[in-house]
Amino acid sequence: MRLPLRPRNPLRTPLSLCLAAAAPLLLLTATTPARAADPTPTCAAPGARTFPLTTRIHDGPDTYEAGGGYGTWYLDLTNTTARRCTAIHPVVVLVDQQRALKPAQPRLDFYDGTGPRPHPVRFATTDEAELVGAFDDGFPGFTVDPGKTLTVKVRLALAPDTGPNEIIANAAVVQRHADDGDWVGQSNDYRFDVEAAAPGAATPTPATTAPSATTPPAEDLSFADELARTGIGTAHLVLAATSVLLVTAGALLLARRRR
């Protein structure tokens, strides 16, 4: 479903509420002087009442130890259409029972299937103390062929200073376009517990050097940073998140053109 439009068949999920929250960002997108040429064909068929990608998180551990090793889980993206789905970006939301989880505590990486090197996911926190992170570190997105299932390997570890907690992970799936986007999938909930760190636990080594805490220029803000600045709670994240992804991409493109 294309973001500027309200779903024709309201989904029975709190995530449908983010349509309203996305409106201010969509206005910003709409004021772009000219629409960029978009070579990405839409994954969702016109008038479709279901998501084109069936999305499932599975095989994750029930418990993580703070300061322990990585736990591995998988995200299945199944294309139920006759169309090829390209430029696919999952967006992971972590909601912890204590509302105490900090962006630097979860160490989440994903693999794109082309090599052994993982991609780090950078989290930001919202005003509702939820964490959100997009699979978008410059990664162009996944491609899922018609009728096929793509399984994305994900690994998660938690820093030693993470307290005992219960966390729910959920993934929304976005197809990115030049100046627009489609919300094309939503996963099940993955619920797990966090146990206190064992004495002497070491911090897991991240996939890459952690980003600087210094705030970058506005045109270079990451998707997660921009999302956190909207102050939108979990119930409003997905389409607002997609809109921010698009606006941020547009700002980066404009900055490159000015150079």
Side-chain angles (χ1 to χ4, degrees), residues 63-69 158-164 194-204:
T63 303
Y64 291 79
E65 180 183 307
L158 293 150
D161 62 343
T162 307
V194 179
E195 296 180 344
T203 302

Side-chain angles (χ1 to χ4, degrees), residues 2-259:
R2 189 51 58 88
L3 286 176
L5 303 179
R6 190 171 298 278
R8 290 188 174 91
N9 182 34
L11 298 171
R12 293 186 178 277
T13 168
L15 295 174
S16 62
L17 298 175
C18 56
L19 282 163
L25 298 172
L26 295 172
L27 288 175
L28 176 59
T29 304
T31 58
T32 303
R35 293 175 61 89
D38 179 20
T40 306
T42 183
C43 184
R49 294 177 176 272
T50 59
F51 287 125
L53 292 179
T54 300
T55 307
R56 185 172 72 97
I57 297 174
H58 62 95
D59 290 342
D62 295 329
T63 303
Y64 291 79
E65 180 183 307
Y70 284 97
T72 300
W73 43 277
Y74 299 89
L75 180 65
D76 285 350
L77 304 171
T78 300
N79 186 348
T80 62
T81 75
R83 299 166 178 243
R84 196 180 197 209
C85 294
T86 61
I88 300 299
H89 294 266
V91 178
V92 170
V93 179
L94 299 179
V95 182
D96 67 297
Q97 187 178 59
Q98 304 297 329
R99 290 298 196 273
L101 195 64
K102 300 174 183 177
Q105 289 176 327
R107 309 292 171 84
L108 185 71
D109 302 323
F110 71 94
Y111 295 82
D112 63 15
T114 64
R117 185 180 180 86
H119 296 261
V121 175
R122 183 179 178 184
F123 284 100
T125 187
T126 71
D127 286 350
E128 298 298 324
E130 300 123 339
L131 300 187
V132 59
F135 289 20
D136 186 40
D137 62 342
F139 171 63
F142 294 105
T143 295
V144 188
D145 289 324
K148 301 296 184 180
T149 296
L150 175 69
T151 299
V152 180
K153 181 180 177 181
V154 181
R155 68 177 190 176
L156 173 67
L158 293 150
D161 62 343
T162 307
N165 212 332
E166 180 180 329
I167 299 176
I168 296 176
N170 187 284
V173 183
V174 169
Q175 183 182 32
R176 186 187 213 168
H177 297 281
D179 63 348
D180 203 347
D182 293 332
W183 177 20
V184 295
Q186 177 190 333
S187 81
N188 56 305
D189 289 341
Y190 165 38
R191 188 184 305 266
F192 56 89
D193 294 321
V194 179
E195 296 180 344
T203 302
T205 303
T208 59
T209 302
S212 170
T214 304
T215 302
E219 66 268 21
D220 291 328
L221 285 175
S222 73
F223 170 33
D225 287 328
E226 285 282 4
L227 180 59
R229 284 176 49 172
T230 65
I232 299 168
T234 301
H236 301 118
L237 284 172
V238 179
L239 296 184
T242 310
S243 302
V244 176
L245 176 65
L246 300 170
V247 171
T248 304
L252 288 170
L253 178 60
L254 180 61
R256 291 191 185 104
R257 286 176 178 170
R258 286 175 177 170
R259 293 176 190 144

